[in-house]
């Protein structure tokens, strides 16, 4: 393996570093973007139940906010439940944008690796071919062993760049789709939360029906 890397020339170093970075990002995103971590099951219903029962104090609300990205959105809605509908919606959307920014973390880097790695391989191919033609100019084509180094450099760097780029592109597309799906689910949950908060607010503001006079 070391001989292959050595034959690929100095451009193998950035390609190897890109592969290590891509692997680290993929593992980190797999761990971070777990659905149970982003949107804990039953969190919305439990939050609304505690709020309606008067059990949602500041400590519990802080725990919900710190527990998951979706919990941050719920906590924002709860804290702004007594404001106007438009202002509460604006605060929730602002928190949602911050959450989405965190879910997108490192994905641009992964996409850059997927785009740059083939170019590094192509650059290695160009250098290898330049080396081949330089040797041909100097000694001719009579000795194939002299030409083998340049040809190996051209082929190895191209293959290495593609081996890094293809998985990086696949995982980049996968994580983009996963983030989009999680965003849709959180948006749906936020709408349900707003409806639930509005229902509780209307219930508090509606006066009880007056009892009829006894005959």
């Amino acid at each position: 393996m070391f001989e292959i890397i050595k034959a690929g020339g100095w451009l193998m170093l950035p390609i190897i570093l890109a592969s290590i970075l891509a692997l680290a990002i993929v593992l980190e995103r797999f761990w971070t973007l777990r659905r149970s971590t982003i949107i804990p099951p039953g969190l919305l219903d439990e939050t609304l139940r505690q709020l309606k029962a008067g059990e949602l104090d500041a400590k519990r609300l802080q725990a919900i906010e710190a527990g998951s990205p979706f919990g941050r959105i719920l906590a924002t809605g709860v804290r702004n439940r007594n404001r106007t509908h438009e202002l509460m919606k604006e605060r929730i959307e602002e928190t949602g944008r911050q959450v989405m920014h965190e879910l997108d973390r490192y994905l641009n880097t992964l996409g850059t690796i997927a785009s740059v790695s083939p170019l590094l391989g192509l650059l290695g191919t160009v250098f290898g071919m330049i080396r081949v033609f330089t040797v041909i100019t100097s000694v001719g084509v009579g000795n194939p062993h002299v030409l083998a180094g340049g040809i190996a450099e051209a082929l190895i760097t191209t293959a290495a760049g593609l081996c890094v780029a293809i998985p990086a592109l696949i995982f980049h597309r996968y994580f983009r789709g996963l983030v989009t799906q999680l965003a849709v689910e959180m948006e749906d949950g936020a709408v349900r939360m707003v409806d639930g908060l509005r229902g509780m607010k209307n219930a508090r503001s509606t006066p009880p029906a007056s009892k009829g006079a006894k005959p």
Side-chain angles (χ1 to χ4, degrees), residues 125-206:
T125 299
V126 172
F127 284 157
M129 296 309 297
I130 290 173
R131 181 179 173 186
V132 170
F133 284 110
T134 301
V135 172
I136 291 176
T137 303
S138 302
V139 300
V141 295
N143 189 354
H145 295 288
V146 179
L147 305 177
I151 297 174
E153 181 178 347
L155 297 178
I156 290 174
T157 52
T158 301
L162 292 175
C163 287
V164 175
I166 293 173
L169 179 60
I170 292 173
F171 284 114
H172 178 261
R173 295 289 180 86
Y174 169 76
F175 288 128
R176 281 293 184 193
L178 179 58
V179 168
T180 300
Q181 183 178 357
L182 291 172
V184 171
E185 294 181 13
M186 285 191 291
E187 183 178 359
D188 179 67
V191 171
R192 290 175 54 201
M193 177 192 63
V194 170
D195 292 340
L197 293 175
R198 183 189 297 178
M200 284 186 281
K201 185 177 181 181
N202 292 337
R204 290 196 303 268
S205 60
T206 302

Side-chain angles (χ1 to χ4, degrees), residues 56-96:
L56 191 61
D57 54 14
K59 185 176 181 180
R60 290 185 178 181
L61 185 61
Q62 186 176 4
I64 291 174
E65 183 178 21
S68 65
F70 185 49
R72 289 177 56 187
I73 297 176
L74 295 182
T76 300
V78 172
R79 288 196 176 100
N80 292 275
R81 65 185 182 277
N82 294 324
R83 299 178 181 269
T84 63
H85 176 74
E86 290 75 16
L87 186 57
M88 179 174 62
K89 182 179 178 182
E90 181 180 344
R91 293 289 186 268
I92 292 174
E93 289 177 350
E94 181 180 352
T95 303

Side-chain angles (χ1 to χ4, degrees), residues 18 20-33 98-115 168-169 171-173 175-176 179:
I20 295 173
L21 180 58
L23 179 60
I25 292 174
V26 168
L27 294 178
E28 190 276 339
R29 290 291 87 186
F30 264 122
W31 177 259
T32 302
L33 296 179
Q98 295 174 1
V99 169
M100 287 303 302
H101 178 71
E102 294 180 1
L103 295 185
D104 280 334
R105 185 181 299 172
Y106 307 131
L107 292 187
N108 286 336
T109 303
L110 187 61
T112 301
I113 292 174
S115 300
L169 179 60
F171 284 114
H172 178 261
R173 295 289 180 86
F175 288 128
R176 281 293 184 193
V179 168

